[in-house]
Amino acid sequence: MNMYRHEFKNVLKSTLIWTLSIMAITIFFFSMYPTFSEEAESLKRMLEGFPDALLQALNFNITAFTSILGFYSYIFVYISLAGAIQAMVLGTGIASREIREKTADFLLTKPVTRQSIMTSKLLAAFTAIIITNAGYLSTAYLMAVIVETEGFSQGIFFMISLSLFFIQLIFLSVGVITAVLISRLKAVLPVSLGTVFAFFVINMFSKSIGDEKMGYFTPFHYFDSMYILQHETYNPSNMILAFVLVVLLIISSYVVYTKKDIHTI
Amino acid sequence: MNVIEINGLTKHYGKARGIEDVTFSVKEGEIFGFIGPNGAGKSTTIRTLLSLIYPTGGSATILGMDMIKDAPEIKKQVGYLPSEVFYYDNMKVIDLLNYSASFYKKDCSSRIKELAERLDLDLNKKIEDLSFGNKKKVGIVQGLLHSPKLIILDEPTSGLDPLMQQTFFDLLKEENEKGVTILFSSHILSEVQKLCDRVAIIKDGKIVKVEKISTLRENNYKKFHIETKTPADQEMFNFEGIKDLEMEGNSIRFLFKGDLNPIMGRIAELDIGNVWIEEPDLEEIFMHYYEKEDQGREHV
């Protein structure tokens, strides 16, 4: 519990900053919706002139775009990008902290198992993600209700919103395994940004060429907001894939972390 | 009872050498020195004992428990101070020490206060504002605050000024009087000499010798320095047991090992101005062991 508190305290400030930032982007995006829906017809005409591949890549669906949920599934791509970066930075940062701050000799000579160290770190990161999602979900819902006066399917809305949590969970575990595998990780941000953007681009690419298989290589595809909108459910096979991936990554992180040598700084 | 028992401990880093078949034991209540030059394998041995790194072969027990399987249980009784100390920079000293104490299920607050006073350490400063020496003091406090039964020190004195070093040694001696066992690794031999009962000498990853400090000295060369009033004949020192003879004018220097009586008789024949017979310090003993090892290897 002492380690959990210590780790959580350390990530609290950045979690609050990330949460507030994501909330701010959400408010900003939603506040644009009334203008979009008013200009729906001319917007549709304009978008029809765009190449289809580009529209696919950007998650545009012309018919859906002018409804609140269609609009939401479009802006959600960018919110999930921000969320993914946060989660990856969090995971990489928390698991590599002892290496970066050179405090491994301090922590790992205490009477605790490496498993319990890893568990405390994961729980602290998990709490941080819960905080972000609570902040995000309430802001998004409130904004949607404010800007859309005619009502919308709350089920779909929450399904899309909740996928932020799942995407973050995946990137958190990607971050943690990255940190335990790279034995001398110095800077968290370049590694995290690089990884997240690579996956993001793969997702855009797979969509624009319509290659489903390529989508399996990027967590952004697993919870595709457009899929949720059209099918009114999560993609079941992707859901299982995501679950298996997270479990595998977390288990491997434990295994690698317990077995690895902690060298002198 | 042996507090530390190491059996054939081996660690390879890929193909690179770490330590090879390291075997020695440390008795309860002993201050045990572990000496060798930088890169000889001292830290590798210690980090393996603390299960920071895992051995390629061999085993070790600490306080009768297996160093890997029972690591958390062992660490309740172990205090560790590395040569370079790093802590969470954004914490205050007292918060760091309280965090450290929170791992041991006992109240360490009075001990923290007492140690900080002894070492003249300001508990309210932030870690990042501390000098290297002061960080080291934090390290000493956090290594001792839970009153461990075994203290493991890996080149602990770097960064401490001589006065503080003395206080630190006094602290260690006090702990030792209470029955605490100490493993003290160093490449500075004079400090090992000052503090330790026995030493293990390590070179190139292998233990060269485990010996009592006193025996090491007894079995070793004595340093002779004689000043004569008239130049002496070199032939007089063609004597078994004499090594490294240097004669310069009226000054004669050599190392001697063996029965002292005949050599004293020979010296008495000289017209002596002054004479010094010194114990070699550990440094010289150490060099001697190294030379012997190298020569041994050359013969093979």
Side-chain angles (χ1 to χ4, degrees):
Chain A
M1 197 60 190
N2 58 342
M3 283 188 285
Y4 168 79
R5 266 203 308 274
H6 176 77
E7 295 296 339
F8 180 65
K9 231 169 117 184
N10 188 49
V11 297
L12 182 61
K13 199 171 140 194
S14 68
T15 302
L16 291 179
I17 294 172
W18 271 104
T19 307
L20 290 174
S21 310
I22 290 177
M23 283 161 71
I25 325 173
T26 311
I27 293 172
F28 171 72
F29 276 142
F30 271 105
S31 59
M32 292 196 305
Y33 176 68
T35 329
F36 270 86
S37 63
E38 274 166 30
E39 307 286 327
E41 278 312 307
S42 59
L43 199 68
K44 266 184 187 172
R45 275 198 300 279
M46 189 189 83
L47 287 175
E48 272 158 7
F50 277 53
D52 200 40
L54 180 69
L55 294 177
Q56 291 290 337
L58 296 175
N59 220 24
F60 267 125
N61 180 319
I62 298 174
T63 43
F65 188 63
T66 47
S67 74
I68 181 81
L69 289 174
F71 177 79
Y72 184 42
S73 67
Y74 165 66
I75 60 168
F76 186 76
V77 174
Y78 300 97
I79 290 164
S80 64
L81 175 64
I85 296 172
Q86 179 204 358
M88 176 94 185
V89 169
L90 179 67
T92 319
I94 208 162
S96 69
R97 187 177 183 204
E98 269 56 50
I99 302 297
R100 286 178 297 114
E101 300 189 16
K102 303 176 178 178
T103 48
D105 280 13
F106 171 83
L107 187 59
L108 274 72
T109 52
K110 296 285 176 276
V112 283
T113 57
R114 290 201 195 173
Q115 284 96 321
S116 62
I117 294 175
M118 187 48 102
T119 307
S120 311
K121 284 178 178 288
L122 285 174
L123 283 179
F126 192 70
T127 316
I129 285 187
I130 300 264
I131 291 174
T132 302
N133 278 276
Y136 169 68
L137 198 63
S138 45
T139 312
Y141 184 68
L142 204 70
M143 285 309 290
V145 172
I146 292 171
V147 297
E148 178 54 271
T149 43
E150 287 169 23
F152 53 88
S153 161
Q154 301 205 343
I156 297 177
F157 181 84
F158 279 113
M159 258 194 275
I160 296 178
S161 306
L162 210 61
S163 54
L164 177 69
F165 175 70
F166 296 122
I167 291 173
Q168 286 201 306
L169 217 52
I170 301 172
F171 276 100
L172 177 73
S173 22
V174 172
V176 172
I177 190 84
T178 310
V180 296
L181 283 176
I182 303 178
S183 55
R184 291 189 195 268
L185 193 126
K186 290 272 157 57
V188 169
L189 209 57
V191 177
S192 306
L193 284 179
T195 315
V196 173
F197 278 121
F199 282 130
F200 192 73
V201 170
I202 294 174
N203 188 43
M204 281 173 89
F205 195 62
S206 89
K207 273 185 170 178
S208 69
I209 60 169
D211 186 346
E212 267 290 307
K213 282 195 198 96
M214 194 192 267
Y216 288 124
F217 293 99
T218 165
F220 286 108
H221 174 75
Y222 304 160
F223 296 92
D224 182 15
S225 48
M226 209 49 86
Y227 181 96
I228 301 170
L229 182 65
Q230 283 160 0
H231 298 80
E232 298 186 8
T233 175
Y234 291 125
N235 181 330
S237 58
N238 282 350
M239 186 88 183
I240 294 168
L241 186 64
F243 177 75
V244 171
L245 187 69
V246 169
V247 170
L248 275 181
L249 288 177
I250 297 287
I251 291 175
S252 323
S253 303
Y254 270 101
V255 173
V256 177
Y257 190 65
T258 357
K259 294 210 180 299
K260 80 175 193 174
D261 284 346
I262 308 293
H263 297 290
T264 351
I265 311 103
Chain B
M1 183 200 149
N2 287 334
V3 171
I4 301 177
E5 227 175 286
I6 306 176
N7 283 312
L9 206 60
T10 300
K11 172 73 184 175
H12 295 291
Y13 299 106
K15 278 186 181 167
R17 173 192 57 77
I19 49 172
E20 190 79 49
D21 197 21
V22 167
T23 301
F24 65 84
S25 51
V26 179
K27 295 189 198 105
E28 190 174 3
E30 209 175 13
I31 306 186
F32 191 90
F34 191 33
I35 53 174
N38 292 325
K42 300 188 296 291
S43 292
T44 303
T45 310
I46 284 178
R47 297 180 81 77
T48 315
L49 286 179
L50 292 164
S51 66
L52 287 166
I53 55 179
Y54 297 110
T56 324
S59 64
T61 60
I62 294 174
L63 298 156
M65 294 177 273
D66 182 85
M67 70 166 175
I68 298 170
K69 203 162 53 75
D70 305 315
E73 197 55 38
I74 290 172
K75 284 169 188 171
K76 282 184 190 167
Q77 311 288 354
V78 174
Y80 169 59
L81 178 63
S83 56
E84 281 191 79
V85 291
F86 294 97
Y87 301 110
Y88 306 98
D89 276 346
N90 54 357
M91 286 178 97
K92 277 195 337 189
V93 174
I94 185 69
D95 294 333
L96 186 275
L97 292 173
N98 283 334
Y99 180 46
S100 182
S102 71
F103 285 91
Y104 310 96
K105 289 173 181 65
K106 50 179 150 182
D107 181 19
C108 308
S109 49
S110 57
R111 183 73 176 144
I112 293 177
K113 237 178 114 189
E114 181 198 330
L115 286 166
E117 267 168 31
R118 282 285 290 277
L119 293 164
D120 193 21
L121 173 69
D122 185 350
L123 291 173
N124 291 311
K125 273 201 171 166
K126 268 200 157 186
I127 301 277
E128 60 190 342
D129 297 331
L130 296 181
S131 67
F132 183 58
N134 277 322
K135 271 188 201 169
K136 200 85 197 203
K137 291 181 192 172
V138 177
I140 297 172
V141 180
Q142 76 88 30
L144 298 180
L145 58 83
H146 54 295
S147 312
K149 280 188 189 156
L150 168 66
I151 302 174
I152 297 181
L153 307 158
D154 191 359
E155 312 227 4
T157 48
S158 62
L160 287 179
D161 60 58
L163 264 176
M164 207 34 80
Q165 235 177 67
Q166 196 48 53
T167 315
F168 175 48
F169 282 179
D170 290 344
L171 270 173
L172 290 179
K173 278 180 191 154
E174 283 166 30
E175 288 303 300
N176 182 242
E177 275 158 23
K178 287 185 223 159
V180 173
T181 311
I182 300 171
L183 175 65
F184 187 104
S185 124
S186 178
H187 67 280
I188 303 161
L189 304 157
S190 54
E191 57 184 35
V192 173
Q193 203 169 0
K194 234 186 265 174
L195 208 63
C196 300
D197 311 320
R198 284 198 308 151
V199 288
I201 301 174
I202 188 167
K203 189 201 173 192
D204 294 338
K206 288 181 185 149
I207 298 288
V208 181
K209 185 95 184 163
V210 181
E211 196 68 273
K212 274 188 185 166
I213 293 252
S214 52
T215 322
L216 265 188
R217 289 217 192 105
E218 276 164 23
N219 286 339
N220 237 285
Y221 289 89
K222 290 197 189 310
K223 281 199 298 190
F224 280 77
H225 181 196
I226 306 159
E227 269 178 21
T228 50
K229 286 177 185 161
T230 50
D233 183 4
Q234 187 154 359
E235 273 302 298
M236 283 187 75
F237 295 98
N238 194 359
F239 205 90
E240 202 191 319
I242 284 186
K243 218 181 124 185
D244 296 347
L245 180 65
E246 283 174 38
M247 295 181 81
E248 255 185 58
N250 291 346
S251 163
I252 308 160
R253 290 169 192 268
F254 58 85
L255 297 174
F256 177 78
K257 185 181 175 180
D259 187 358
L260 284 170
N261 290 302
I263 187 76
M264 293 310 284
R266 188 63 59 90
I267 291 169
E269 294 169 20
L270 298 167
D271 189 10
I272 293 173
N274 210 340
V275 66
W276 297 265
I277 304 174
E278 288 172 353
E279 289 283 321
D281 56 29
L282 213 46
E283 194 116 19
E284 282 156 313
I285 297 173
F286 194 49
M287 290 314 292
H288 167 63
Y289 269 106
Y290 271 24
E291 271 169 29
K292 257 204 323 208
E293 268 285 293
D294 287 340
Q295 281 166 5
R297 219 168 279 160
E298 276 160 26
H299 288 301
V300 178

